[in-house]
């Protein structure tokens, strides 16, 4: 009989995040209204982006062009907003752009059976070149009016930003989908054992294309959440965001080889990565230490998830009575 | 049949040659095209300048060919080069000794490659993720070391390593590249290592069971690639004579494109060093042609990204056709 484990990896991660928050609240002025508020503003797009990236990683793929897709999304929304298009229209337009670009990645990956990392790496370059070559001012839009930024600046009860609520709702929705929908299980199946997934009646190709489309949708939301907090948009500034998403996902216990991991972990991962970089800023390190930090975090987190510690565990168990997992 | 036959028939000479002939024709076509659009392209000065600007890409692409043949990839080469250049610049700024600076730069590049190699060969972390993470690590370190500083003012003696010309026309970098190419090609086609690499890309388990230390081969090629990055950094510095944290940013893609364009399968198992050489030349021609036509570097990167995607697709389709044409080559 398998009893439900209460102390999961994600539970521990949640405790770490809480401990971190507590530690920062006690030792710095982080707990002031400003610190918490800017955390909620900054972490919201990362949460949604980390969920998007996790979904793709579940299937054993990856998207290196996620950051530059965000740039396209925010440019589309910003450009439309400049012409006075209301939010009800520029939001779907931005999301559609995200879905198209991510869907293209998925389509090429599946149709021509080429590794997604190389395709999306090339796409990353294509996107960056596109901004600089074909967009006016490299896509830089400034002086965006209230019709663009009201949502990003709005908050409930004067403390909780709207965009944080959106990201939490999105996270909850997708955790629910992963748990109760066929689509969620199919992602794990394709990433875990492709052949077995086929025998189970899952079409891996269409699943991968679907997951990229869903990723695009989420990236659309993430890009908009980030864009509407500012009155200017610079597409190339989103370059490198994909590393934060990947870091958040793998810190949250998502297996980079695909097939396992939980979205709640990715959410905690996003918080933890944010808190770590904030701590560094509070400690007076400069911005560019974060590149190095993220690299190291990803390596450590991936090492822990992919390494088989069972031999090590057995050694530990020998000291006491065997605690089987039955 | 033994492993050797299997591998050699998989990358059968017939298909290899036709692909390379096609590639060479593409190169000639590009030269003629740019020559028609901009007649100055045909002058010997410009044509030889193409061979000068591909020095660093070509050198890194040789190391990358070995890696991609095993089914791995090294995304960190551009930032490894950047870090080596920064190390050279900062050490030179302190000691004013070219020898010390160059030695430390080479050491740094090799160490970075070794780090990649250790992680990839000893843990289960896939090469893509490892090098994606170390890419950020190297980038971060070089930014920490350099800040926003630009190191320049290197002595003429150092600059001459890549501004000397044989017979007043052939750039010396091209000679380095040719020499390295010959060594790598021999290693790849005649040596045991080359065969092992193809075997790893084809089926690593089989090699492990036949008693080949694949871990050591992997460690060696990633370290070698790091070493090549440091050499490339020195040559690049000799040409640019300034080390900044923006150099090398877009070299990753150029190097990978050169290798993939050259016919080395991204899935591993199939590859060719001479193909990489032609691929590198194509990239050089494109870059020079775009410069002469006054296109910006962004258009070049944009085009390069498209070329990489198209090359991947074409190669995948060729593979598919070969598979469908029957497995006569394998039996």
């Amino acid at each position: 009989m398998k009893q439900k484990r209460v102390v999961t990896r994600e539970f521990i991660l949640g405790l770490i995040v809480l401990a971190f928050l507590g530690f920062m609240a006690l030792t710095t002025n982080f707990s002031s209204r400003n610190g918490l508020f800017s955390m909620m503003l900054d972490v919201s797009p990362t949460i949604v982006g980390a969920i998007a990236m996790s979904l793709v990683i579940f299937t054993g793929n990856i998207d290196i062009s996620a950051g530059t897709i965000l740039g396209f999304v925010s440019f589309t929304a910003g450009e439309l907003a400049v012409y006075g298009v209301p939010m009800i229209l520029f939001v779907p337009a931005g999301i559609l752009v995200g879905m198209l670009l991510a869907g293209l990645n998925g389509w090429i990956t599946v149709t021509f059976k080429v590794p997604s990392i190389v395709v999306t790496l090339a796409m990353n370059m294509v996107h960056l070149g596109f901004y600089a070559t074909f967009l006016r001012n490299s896509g830089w839009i400034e002086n965006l009016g209230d019709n663009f930024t009201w949502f990003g600046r709005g908050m409930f009860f004067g403390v909780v930003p709207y965009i944080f609520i959106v990201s939490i709702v999105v996270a909850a929705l997708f955790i629910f989908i992963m748990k109760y929908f066929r689509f969620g299980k199919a992602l794990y199946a394709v990433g875990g054992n492709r052949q077995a997934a086929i025998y189970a009646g899952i079409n891996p190709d269409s699943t991968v294309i679907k997951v990229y489309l869903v990723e695009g949708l989420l990236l659309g939301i993430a890009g908009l959440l980030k864009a509407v907090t500012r009155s200017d948009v610079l597409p190339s500034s989103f370059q490198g965001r994909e590393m934060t998403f990947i870091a958040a996902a793998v810190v949250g216990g998502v297996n980079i080889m695909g097939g396992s991991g939980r979205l709640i972990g990715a959410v905690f991962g996003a918080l933890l990565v944010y808190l770590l970089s904030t701590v560094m800023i509070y400690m007076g390190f400069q911005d560019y230490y974060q590149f190095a930090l993220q690299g190291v975090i990803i390596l450590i987190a991936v090492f822990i998830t992919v390494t088989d510690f069972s031999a090590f565990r057995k050694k530990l168990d020998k000291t006491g009575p065997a605690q089987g997992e039955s | 049949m033994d492993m050797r036959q299997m591998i050699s028939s998989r990358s059968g000479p017939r298909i290899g040659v036709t692909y390379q002939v096609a590639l060479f024709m593409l190169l000639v076509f590009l030269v003629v095209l740019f020559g028609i659009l901009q007649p100055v392209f045909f002058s010997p000065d410009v044509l030889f300048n193409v061979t000068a600007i591909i020095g660093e890409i070509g050198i890194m692409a040789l190391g990358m060919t070995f890696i991609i043949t095993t089914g791995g990839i090294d995304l960190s080469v551009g930032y490894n080069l950047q870090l080596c250049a920064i190390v050279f610049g900062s050490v030179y700024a302190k000691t004013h000794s070219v020898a010390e600076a160059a030695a430390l730069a080479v050491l740094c590049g090799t160490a970075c490659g070794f780090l990649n190699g250790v992680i990839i060969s000893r843990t289960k972390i896939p090469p893509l993720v490892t090098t994606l993470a170390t890419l950020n690590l190297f980038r971060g370190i070089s930014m920490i070391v350099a800040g926003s500083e630009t190191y320049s003012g290197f002595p003429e003696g150092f600059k001459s390593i890549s501004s000397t010309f044989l017979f007043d026309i052939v750039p010396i970098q091209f000679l380095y590249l040719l020499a390295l190419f010959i060594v790598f090609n021999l290693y790849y086609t005649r040596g045991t290592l080359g065969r092992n690499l193809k075997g790893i890309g084809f089926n690593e388990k089989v090699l492990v069971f036949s008693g080949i230390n694949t871990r050591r081969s992997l460690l060696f090629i990633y370290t070698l690639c790091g070493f090549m990055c440091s050499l490339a950094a020195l040559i690049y510095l000799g040409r640019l004579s300034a080390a900044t944290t923006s150099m090398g940013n877009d070299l990753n893609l150029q190097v990978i494109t050169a290798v993939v364009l050259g016919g080395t399968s991204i899935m591993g198992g199939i590859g060719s060093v001479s193909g990489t050489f032609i691929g590198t030349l194509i990239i050089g021609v494109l870059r020079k042609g775009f410069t002469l036509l006054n296109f910006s570097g962004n258009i070049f990167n944009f085009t390069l990204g498209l070329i990489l995607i198209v090359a991947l697709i074409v190669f995948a389709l060729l593979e598919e056709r070969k598979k469908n044409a029957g497995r006569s080559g394998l039996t």
Side-chain angles (χ1 to χ4, degrees):
Chain A
M1 243 198 340
K2 183 162 184 168
Q3 72 192 88
K4 203 169 176 186
R5 282 205 291 175
V6 181
V7 186
T8 57
R9 191 206 297 266
E10 284 75 18
F11 182 77
I12 296 171
L13 201 64
L15 286 183
I16 295 176
V17 170
L18 271 182
F20 226 107
L21 269 173
F23 169 75
M24 285 182 66
L26 290 176
T27 54
T28 64
N29 59 350
F30 181 77
S31 60
S32 67
R33 190 176 162 279
N34 241 340
L36 282 174
F37 182 66
S38 62
M39 178 185 95
M40 285 191 275
L41 272 190
D42 286 347
V43 92
S44 307
T46 314
I47 288 177
V48 179
I51 289 175
M53 189 62 81
S54 304
L55 293 177
V56 173
I57 295 179
F58 286 154
T59 64
N61 289 292
I62 203 163
D63 191 349
I64 306 291
S65 66
T68 49
I69 290 178
L70 295 183
F72 269 110
V73 170
S74 54
F75 170 78
T76 311
E79 186 75 4
L80 287 176
V82 166
Y83 290 113
V85 175
M87 188 174 156
I88 190 95
L89 287 178
F90 74 64
V91 166
I95 290 178
L96 192 68
V97 167
M99 287 177 75
L100 281 177
L101 290 171
L104 180 65
N105 287 342
W107 180 75
I108 294 177
T109 305
V110 165
T111 315
F112 302 105
K113 299 192 177 63
V114 272
S116 53
I117 190 155
V118 192
V119 172
T120 54
L121 185 75
M123 274 298 175
N124 181 21
M125 224 55 188
V126 170
H127 293 166
L128 281 175
F130 191 92
Y131 301 151
T133 315
F134 298 109
L135 302 184
R136 180 167 28 85
N137 288 338
S138 300
W140 185 45
I141 304 166
E142 55 175 342
N143 297 330
L144 284 161
D146 268 353
N147 68 331
F148 190 68
T149 54
W150 70 269
F151 192 79
R153 299 199 169 141
M155 42 199 142
F156 284 112
F157 315 118
V159 274
V160 186
Y162 288 161
I163 65 166
F164 186 66
I165 304 289
V166 172
S167 72
I168 294 302
V169 169
V170 168
L173 182 69
F174 272 85
I175 290 169
F176 181 77
I177 289 176
M178 289 307 286
K179 202 169 170 73
Y180 293 107
F181 279 69
R182 204 182 134 81
F183 176 67
K185 304 297 169 197
L187 298 187
Y188 290 124
V190 170
N193 188 337
R194 196 187 159 87
Q195 207 57 43
I198 295 173
Y199 292 146
I202 295 166
N203 181 346
D205 288 354
S206 78
T207 309
V208 171
I209 291 188
K210 266 187 226 155
V211 80
Y212 270 99
L213 285 173
V214 173
E215 186 223 4
L217 181 138
L218 287 170
L219 287 180
I221 296 173
L224 289 165
L225 289 184
K226 183 75 191 166
V228 294
T229 54
R230 299 169 60 95
S231 60
D232 63 331
V233 165
L234 179 62
S236 58
S237 68
F238 290 93
Q239 188 196 4
R241 293 291 292 175
E242 68 278 355
M243 287 307 293
T244 317
F245 299 160
I246 296 172
V250 296
V251 165
V254 174
N255 188 342
I256 198 84
M257 321 278 257
S260 67
R262 291 172 65 191
L263 286 183
I264 184 75
V267 174
F268 287 140
L271 284 167
L272 198 61
V273 168
Y274 172 79
L275 288 175
L276 277 175
S277 61
T278 315
V279 158
M280 294 190 72
I281 292 168
Y282 272 94
M283 280 159 62
F285 284 106
Q286 248 145 336
D287 219 21
Y288 37 67
Y289 277 81
Q290 290 179 22
F291 285 113
L293 178 77
Q294 264 175 16
V296 175
I297 289 178
I298 290 181
L299 276 181
I300 295 174
V302 174
F303 177 73
I304 292 170
T305 35
V306 301
T307 309
D308 185 11
F309 287 112
S310 55
F312 181 65
R313 251 187 228 134
K314 257 181 214 150
K315 229 182 247 170
L316 282 184
D317 285 348
K318 265 182 193 164
T319 53
Q323 298 148 352
E325 299 222 353
S326 53
Chain B
M1 85 199 290
D2 71 355
M3 192 71 203
R4 185 173 184 171
Q5 265 175 318
M6 211 152 104
I7 291 166
S8 66
S9 66
R10 190 159 186 257
S11 56
R14 209 154 32 88
I15 283 172
V17 166
T18 45
Y19 184 76
Q20 272 176 31
V21 167
L23 205 61
F24 191 73
M25 276 158 62
L26 177 67
L27 176 65
V28 173
F29 169 75
L30 282 175
V31 172
V32 172
L33 179 73
F34 284 124
I36 291 168
L37 291 175
Q38 196 69 276
V40 74
F41 198 82
F42 279 138
S43 72
D45 273 354
V46 173
L47 283 179
F48 275 109
N49 185 253
V50 169
T51 60
I53 59 175
I54 58 168
E56 58 278 351
I57 307 170
I59 288 177
M60 290 194 287
L62 290 176
M64 185 72 91
T65 309
F66 278 17
I67 290 176
I68 294 187
T69 305
T70 65
I73 202 165
D74 187 348
L75 299 177
S76 68
V77 286
Y79 290 98
N80 191 346
L81 176 140
Q82 182 185 80
L83 183 57
C84 294
I86 295 292
V87 165
F88 181 90
S90 60
V91 172
Y92 181 76
K94 284 209 182 78
T95 62
H96 289 283
S97 147
V98 172
E100 258 175 62
L104 276 173
V106 170
L107 196 67
C108 163
T110 316
C112 289
F114 184 73
L115 176 70
N116 283 335
V118 165
I119 296 172
I120 289 162
S121 63
R122 298 283 152 174
T123 71
K124 286 182 180 167
I125 309 180
L128 300 167
V129 185
T130 308
T131 54
L132 196 64
T134 53
L135 172 162
N136 280 268
L137 183 65
F138 300 158
R139 184 186 192 184
I141 296 174
S142 66
M143 280 168 134
I144 291 166
V145 173
S148 54
E149 210 167 326
T150 300
Y151 299 105
S152 57
F154 305 129
E156 288 303 316
F158 172 68
K159 284 181 195 164
S160 70
I161 63 159
S162 50
S163 55
T164 316
F165 297 92
L166 185 72
F167 310 128
D168 285 334
I169 186 103
V170 185
I172 195 157
Q173 298 93 306
F174 190 56
L175 299 179
Y176 304 147
L177 182 58
L178 268 182
L180 285 168
F181 160 69
I182 291 168
V183 173
F184 270 70
N185 201 22
L186 278 179
Y187 226 160
Y188 194 79
T189 52
R190 303 257 181 265
T192 332
L193 179 73
R195 208 165 57 233
N196 285 355
L197 296 182
K198 285 181 193 163
I200 293 174
F202 190 34
N203 191 339
E204 187 173 351
K205 277 217 174 98
V206 173
L207 260 76
V208 174
F209 289 144
S210 11
I212 291 163
N213 192 342
T214 55
R215 282 179 165 185
R216 204 167 56 195
S217 305
L218 285 174
L219 181 60
F220 175 69
I221 56 168
Y222 282 94
T223 314
L224 181 69
C225 190
F227 174 68
M228 299 304 270
C229 290
S230 63
L231 291 189
L234 293 180
I235 288 171
Y236 201 21
L237 270 184
R239 192 157 64 82
L240 291 186
S241 63
T244 65
T245 48
S246 66
M247 69 190 289
N249 284 1
D250 47 6
L251 288 186
N252 275 342
L253 193 81
Q254 297 184 21
V255 171
I256 294 171
T257 310
V259 177
V260 172
L261 200 59
T264 302
S265 165
I266 201 86
M267 315 294 264
I270 305 171
S272 125
V273 174
S274 41
T276 300
F277 191 68
I278 304 177
T280 315
L281 281 172
I282 289 179
I283 286 176
V285 167
L286 271 178
R287 203 157 88 183
K288 191 70 199 172
F290 275 34
T291 319
L292 285 179
L293 292 173
N294 275 329
F295 290 161
S296 73
N298 290 309
I299 303 186
F300 174 66
N301 284 338
F302 175 70
T303 318
L304 212 61
L306 287 183
I307 289 178
L308 178 53
I309 292 175
V310 170
L312 284 170
I313 290 175
V314 167
F315 209 74
L317 290 179
L318 280 179
E319 280 287 287
E320 195 76 354
R321 227 179 56 182
K322 226 171 15 173
K323 243 183 243 165
N324 291 343
R327 297 175 165 267
S328 52
L330 275 173
T331 45

